[in-house]
Amino acid sequence: MVELKVEWKPRNENTVFNHPAVRTDGVDKASGFAKYSTDYTGNGSLHVRLLTARHAHAMIKTLNVRDAKRMDGVQEVYVFPFREPANGMLYEVQWEGEPIVAVAADTPAQAEAGVRAIEIAYYVLDHLVNDQYLEAATELGLTKPGRTAEEGEEGEVDKAISSAAVVHRGSYGIQAITHCCLEPHGSTCAWEGEDKLNVELSTQNVSGTGGQFAGPLGIDAANVTVHCDYIGGGFGSKFAADEWGLACAEIAKATKRPVQLHLDRPTELQIAGSRPSAFADVTVAANQDGTIVAWDSHHWGTDGIRGGTVTQVPYVIQPKLRRVRTTGLITNTGPARAWRAPNHPQACALTSTAIDDLAAALGMDPYDVFLKNLNLATGSQSKNPQEVYAEEMKVAEGLMDWKGKWKGRGQWDDNGWKRGLGMAIHTWGGRAGGGSCTIKVHQDGTVETFAGTQDLGTGTRTCIGQVVAESFGLPLSAVQVNIGSSKYPQSGASGGSTTIGGVSGPHRRAALDALGKIFDKVAAKYEVDAASLSAKDGKILNGENVVCTWQQAAGLVGPMGLEVMGEGPKDDGLTSDGVCGVQMVDLSVDTETGRVKINKYVAVQDIGTIVNHQLAKSQVLGAMIQCISYGLSEERIMDNASGRFLNANLRDYKLPRIGDIGELVVEFYEPDSQYNKGVVGLGEPPVISGGAAISNAVANAIGVRVPVLPLTPKRILDALANA
């Protein structure tokens, strides 16, 4: 059998792969035909509403659901495990929004009435929800020591700081945000008999959640089917079945009816996942030429009741002499879950801002300070030489006209506004996740693929189709891609920028394996050398000569067709990891109102071999909008007195609108060295450095650092008043 070399085609030979292509499911989404988990409701479906905790910290003293069960239309009342007082044991609520009781009824209004009929009383306990002020948490004993590390001999950090030409000391922070998924967490569950469960789940982990239902429910994992055709956002928060998913399944079993349970918006924001906060006191020292010689920092924050905090500081630029201490705060806030590039946006916001302030203290352009210290760049981008950052900075500088525009802090007046530039750099791994697939070539030439992956809206279906179509020399429309079911070959969860490598590698390997088998059959029939064959434009070629059509070749596989498995990741060059990225922002600030206007925002990114430039650009644009969001307005606002999440709604949880965005420019760095590198994930990298770049641009505009993100009008005005 001929063995085709496992590699991507040379760039100039591609006709489908490494080219822009519209989403194969774009029309379905735009027209409303795409079905999400909330759309799978049939006749007789029950609707669930939750009673959730209204205190940040309390013990449930009494819980009475008797009247709720008697309400019209109520079919089941489910008390979450351990919530009901029993044998003198009281359940301790640790954060607002914890689910306590689920009420299932024929209509949503009846379910809500059932919730209102529940009697509940609490012993209210002391709480801590303020994660910025370390002193208060320390006094209350609600801190956890974290990482303490020092690079260099004892005393060298202090010596380098004391002898440095310029030393900058500053305080920085970035507030917690929620995942704020457009489609809330939840599922629609239905049983077949007593032991087969079908779940329409809003999930980033189709292959991995079936067992999470099966174990607690006491059924075989083989009897659980998880399905997710489309998902309305996850950002790292939808990997688990969750206790509300199990509640949905339990209610469906008890009532023998399909049940839909999705979190309402306040509960979604309160408990479905938050990105941890981070704050830091930083000292950074440099020589007069801008060479950073030492770093010393203490940073803290919270991931909720566990008391964890960010650890990757200093970020990317790591001086050889550095000392870092971290402290976690134990707070009564909703649990943290991985948010795009876990910990990296926070680490970047604490590091790149300090370097920008150091540049101001030196009287230097921060572009030059970053460039001067790229030799200190370490981390998951270590496979890339510092020249990659330098080249990307050069590209970004040209797109922004940084050197032409640059002025010192507070020196750029623009029609009554103050204007400024800011930049930051970032890194990510993006290694391919584990996964497998099946490709079927039918006797009539049609092609199907099957994989248990999920499309988060990034175009996974389209990219899989491009990989297979290019391999077989077919148009994209000739490949039918089947994903979104736990009954398909196992794929990894979509997190950590692992998906594109996790699906493209196995599908390319399987397609080449299948193509080799077809070439053997063609060679035998047409008496040609299988090793000399290629597939292009729906034909099988021997050099420049047409041997047969694709349909004729596929007809040789027989009536059962050809079925081939693909797996990954493998060390064969199809995928890789380690990326760099540079982002620059040009903005204006109204110093009378504190309003910020984005003028131009540039992102330059490398991701190795790009499957689809159009979809990749779309993904970066979405990330840039999220950077504007957490950079200027988005934050979780907690009330110290009550412990309540004050803005747990889409009226007060401020997300940007179209008028807040400005001009967005995306450029991919893809010289031959990058194209030949292999596919690397993109989900995380472009959402990392935008917040820091925005903060640096505001500091450049108004001449003073606004220390904590988001840079709301009040924080900007306070910084100006305190300058």
Side-chain angles (χ1 to χ4, degrees), residues 520-528 552 556:
D520 283 338
K521 294 181 181 297
V522 171
K525 178 175 177 60
Y526 294 96
E527 299 181 349
V528 293
Q552 289 170 326
L556 302 175

Side-chain angles (χ1 to χ4, degrees), residues 329-452:
L329 274 63
I330 301 169
T331 60
N332 299 108
T333 53
R337 294 188 175 188
W339 189 88
R340 295 181 77 170
N343 294 334
H344 284 237
Q346 302 97 309
C348 186
L350 300 182
T351 303
S352 289
T353 48
I355 293 174
D356 185 86
D357 283 348
L358 176 67
L362 286 161
M364 294 179 64
D365 182 340
Y367 180 97
D368 298 328
V369 175
F370 277 104
L371 189 65
K372 182 78 174 178
N373 291 282
L374 290 180
N375 63 306
L376 301 176
T378 61
S380 61
Q381 86 294 346
S382 57
K383 293 180 181 179
N384 298 318
Q386 66 189 64
E387 286 79 11
V388 175
Y389 274 120
E391 288 300 315
E392 290 181 349
M393 286 178 60
K394 186 187 300 184
V395 173
E397 189 279 328
L399 292 169
M400 181 61 79
D401 187 24
W402 179 286
K403 288 298 183 180
K405 292 178 177 178
W406 173 258
K407 295 176 175 61
R409 285 192 169 182
Q411 297 180 17
W412 190 356
D413 293 306
D414 184 18
N415 296 319
W417 293 57
K418 303 295 287 185
R419 193 165 176 179
L421 299 177
M423 66 166 287
I425 64 177
H426 61 259
T427 181
W428 187 255
R431 183 176 185 272
S436 57
C437 69
T438 297
I439 293 180
K440 292 183 178 180
V441 179
H442 296 282
Q443 191 176 25
D444 63 358
T446 57
V447 178
E448 289 185 279
T449 76
F450 299 85

Side-chain angles (χ1 to χ4, degrees), residues 235-511:
F235 315 117
S237 68
K238 292 182 176 177
F239 296 128
D242 285 311
E243 59 180 346
W244 48 83
L246 295 175
C248 185
E250 293 276 19
I251 294 169
K253 189 168 190 177
T255 59
K256 301 186 186 315
R257 291 168 65 176
V259 172
Q260 183 185 101
L261 195 169
H262 282 75
L263 303 185
D264 60 25
R265 183 56 58 181
T267 307
E268 170 73 15
L269 296 183
Q270 290 162 352
I271 70 170
S274 64
R275 186 193 70 184
S277 60
F279 305 91
D281 292 329
V282 176
T283 300
V284 58
N287 295 333
Q288 196 63 57
D289 66 354
T291 302
I292 299 174
V293 296
W295 173 283
D296 185 18
S297 66
H298 176 206
H299 55 282
W300 64 93
T302 186
D303 64 358
I305 201 68
R306 294 175 298 184
T309 191
V310 176
T311 59
Q312 294 99 320
V313 177
Y315 181 71
V316 180
I317 302 293
Q318 298 194 350
K320 294 180 181 178
L321 298 177
R322 60 186 185 272
R323 180 170 55 226
V324 176
R325 182 163 62 95
T326 69
T327 303
L329 274 63
I330 301 169
T331 60
N332 299 108
T333 53
R337 294 188 175 188
W339 189 88
R340 295 181 77 170
N343 294 334
H344 284 237
Q346 302 97 309
C348 186
L350 300 182
T351 303
S352 289
T353 48
I355 293 174
D356 185 86
D357 283 348
L358 176 67
L362 286 161
M364 294 179 64
D365 182 340
Y367 180 97
D368 298 328
V369 175
F370 277 104
L371 189 65
K372 182 78 174 178
N373 291 282
L374 290 180
N375 63 306
L376 301 176
T378 61
S380 61
Q381 86 294 346
S382 57
K383 293 180 181 179
N384 298 318
Q386 66 189 64
E387 286 79 11
V388 175
Y389 274 120
E391 288 300 315
E392 290 181 349
M393 286 178 60
K394 186 187 300 184
V395 173
E397 189 279 328
L399 292 169
M400 181 61 79
D401 187 24
W402 179 286
K403 288 298 183 180
K405 292 178 177 178
W406 173 258
K407 295 176 175 61
R409 285 192 169 182
Q411 297 180 17
W412 190 356
D413 293 306
D414 184 18
N415 296 319
W417 293 57
K418 303 295 287 185
R419 193 165 176 179
L421 299 177
M423 66 166 287
I425 64 177
H426 61 259
T427 181
W428 187 255
R431 183 176 185 272
S436 57
C437 69
T438 297
I439 293 180
K440 292 183 178 180
V441 179
H442 296 282
Q443 191 176 25
D444 63 358
T446 57
V447 178
E448 289 185 279
T449 76
F450 299 85
T453 189
Q454 47 280 312
D455 191 333
L456 305 188
T458 55
T460 301
R461 284 182 178 83
T462 308
C463 290
I464 290 173
Q466 287 180 270
V467 170
V468 176
E470 185 67 55
S471 300
F472 290 150
L474 299 172
L476 178 57
S477 59
V479 179
Q480 180 177 323
V481 177
N482 299 284
I483 63 174
S485 172
S486 60
K487 296 305 182 185
Y488 294 160
Q490 188 178 71
S491 290
S494 288
S497 304
T498 60
T499 303
I500 188 61
V503 298
S504 61
H507 281 86
R508 175 65 172 170
R509 294 183 192 99

Side-chain angles (χ1 to χ4, degrees), residues 1-6 472 508-524 528-533 562-565:
M1 171 185 164
V2 64
E3 291 190 10
L4 302 181
K5 186 177 180 180
V6 178
F472 290 150
R508 175 65 172 170
R509 294 183 192 99
L512 290 175
D513 188 4
L515 191 61
K517 289 179 167 61
I518 291 172
F519 282 172
D520 283 338
K521 294 181 181 297
V522 171
V528 293
D529 179 11
S532 68
L533 298 178
L562 175 65
E563 186 171 312
V564 177
M565 291 286 294

Side-chain angles (χ1 to χ4, degrees), residues 39 53 61 65 88 114 145 229 234 291 345 361 384 396 415 425 437 468 486 566 583 591 593 631 642 708-709 720:
D39 295 322
K61 180 168 58 175
V65 299
D229 254 343
T291 302
N384 298 318
N415 296 319
I425 64 177
C437 69
V468 176
S486 60
Q583 297 194 359
T591 56
T593 65
S642 66
V708 176
L709 291 171
L720 287 167

